[in-house]
Amino acid sequence: MRNIRKLLIRGVDKNLLVKDATKLMPDLARRRFIAGGASLGALTLLTGCDVSDSFSAESMLARISKFNDAVQSAIFNPNILAPEFPESAITRPFPFNAYFLEDNSPQIDGKTWKLEVSGLVQNKKSWTLEDFNKMPQQKQITRHICVEGWSAIGSWTGVRLSDFLKLVGADTRAKYCWFRCDDIEGYTSPLDMATALHPQTQMTLKFDDKVLPVGYGFPMKIRVPTKLGFKNPKWVVSMEVTNDYKGGYWENQGYNSFSGS
Ligand SMILES: Nc1nc2c(c(=O)[nH]1)N[C@H]1C(S)=C(S)[C@@H](COP(=O)(O)O)O[C@H]1N2
Ligand SMILES: [Mo]
């Protein structure tokens, strides 16, 4: 009989956990999981297990083994909604993450900031924060999952990206929305059009009903609850609608661009 490891996530060998989980998956799910990079983050997204608090590898494996193909295809379906949570589930304080310390976050002036829109759109103008604040807003309380092995539930409010794409007359047959950020060393991220049009993909202006704090991406981040954390660019300054794959900060370092459901 197989020995089931009872280690908490801190002590667990992540590679072994991912390997074990892969073996337990039904065919279709396994193929997609491998194609998606077979990371601990993707596993978290798949099982909905919260790796930020006490959590055992055993329970994650048990959960996966109960999956059947129907459940799997539902989870991987890009048209399905990410789970939403009550206010009481919000993680406080919500973690900060970037490739630099929070104090080094870009300090953007909301009065002069503009989002530059270019590429395959009819309306190539720049949009101010005031413009975005006037547009219809959507609120979501969803789980953010970082590939580094933590997850947290947050509350984000902003403009649906699909509404904005309509407003600028974007060619939604194009392959990507490519975002550029104001980080000192630069940060970019390509988002596939299907995900850009997903109803929960949001141009976020607020966290927890308050103006987005600097660390979380003021004045705008793109919130994508069906993707891993690194596909949620903060301090966004431009969006290009394009058919070209232009790469991204983490994507260029080997993380799979799909990285999500
Ligand atoms: N511009 C920019 N966006 C970014 C990052 C970054 O370093 N720069 N880090 C990403 C990663 S890996 C994560 S997990 C989330 C963290 O968002 P949070 O600080 O709101 O938790 O931001 C993502 N977006
Ligand atoms: Mo992340």
Side-chain angles (χ1 to χ4, degrees):
M1 217 182 82
R2 231 179 102 257
N3 250 340
I4 297 174
R5 279 178 289 276
K6 283 201 173 129
L7 293 168
L8 288 180
I9 199 75
R10 270 179 243 295
V12 88
D13 181 324
K14 292 180 190 177
N15 293 330
L16 278 179
L17 174 60
V18 168
K19 218 168 163 186
D20 281 359
T22 312
K23 278 189 227 144
L24 291 169
M25 288 179 193
D27 259 13
L28 174 69
R30 187 187 307 122
R31 261 180 281 131
R32 286 187 173 166
F33 181 64
I34 292 168
S39 65
L40 186 61
L43 197 55
T44 313
L45 198 61
L46 189 74
T47 56
C49 287
D50 185 354
V51 292
S52 66
D53 48 41
S54 70
F55 155 85
S56 73
E58 188 187 345
S59 78
M60 186 181 250
L61 293 176
R63 208 181 278 208
I64 292 165
S65 66
K66 278 189 217 127
F67 275 3
N68 59 38
D69 273 310
V71 175
Q72 288 292 341
S73 62
I75 282 172
F76 279 114
N77 186 337
N79 299 319
I80 221 143
L81 296 179
E84 303 222 5
F85 300 87
E87 301 267 344
S88 59
I90 297 171
T91 309
R92 301 176 198 281
F94 192 85
F96 164 88
N97 197 35
Y99 61 90
F100 44 78
L101 297 174
E102 185 161 9
D103 284 351
N104 297 330
S105 296
Q107 304 282 329
I108 296 178
D109 181 351
K111 291 193 194 77
T112 53
W113 172 88
K114 282 189 167 97
L115 182 83
E116 185 204 320
V117 177
S118 66
L120 303 169
V121 296
Q122 276 157 13
N123 196 353
K124 278 192 214 202
K125 67 168 222 158
S126 295
W127 300 77
T128 65
L129 189 51
E130 214 188 325
D131 293 333
F132 283 105
N133 281 324
K134 282 187 201 144
M135 296 174 198
Q137 309 284 310
Q138 173 223 39
K139 178 173 169 176
Q140 60 170 276
I141 300 175
T142 50
R143 188 188 293 281
H144 170 112
I145 299 164
C146 176
V147 77
E148 288 165 42
W150 58 271
S151 84
I153 293 171
S155 163
W156 291 275
T157 303
V159 176
R160 275 198 173 99
L161 180 56
S162 62
D163 288 348
F164 184 69
L165 288 169
K166 211 181 280 166
L167 185 68
V168 300
D171 180 354
T172 52
R173 293 164 307 176
K175 287 191 186 146
Y176 308 100
C177 288
W178 187 64
F179 296 98
R180 254 188 335 103
C181 308
D182 200 36
D183 306 32
I184 305 152
E185 291 177 56
Y187 191 97
T188 54
S189 191
L191 192 62
D192 59 278
M193 188 58 78
T195 305
L197 294 171
H198 186 281
Q200 286 168 310
T201 299
Q202 186 189 83
M203 306 174 98
T204 302
L205 309 166
K206 284 186 174 166
F207 184 86
D208 214 3
D209 301 321
K210 288 175 215 74
V211 171
L212 199 60
V214 170
Y216 300 157
F218 179 81
M220 179 185 282
K221 80 172 255 164
I222 308 298
R223 173 69 190 132
V224 190
T226 55
K227 296 277 186 203
L228 293 172
F230 77 89
K231 305 284 298 179
N232 291 240
K234 305 191 279 189
W235 312 289
V236 171
V237 290
S238 80
M239 178 186 85
E240 182 178 339
V241 177
T242 176
N243 277 313
D244 303 327
Y245 179 75
K246 304 204 166 189
Y249 185 86
W250 289 112
E251 290 84 351
N252 296 351
Q253 296 177 54
Y255 284 101
N256 189 278
S257 184
F258 187 71
S259 285
S261 59

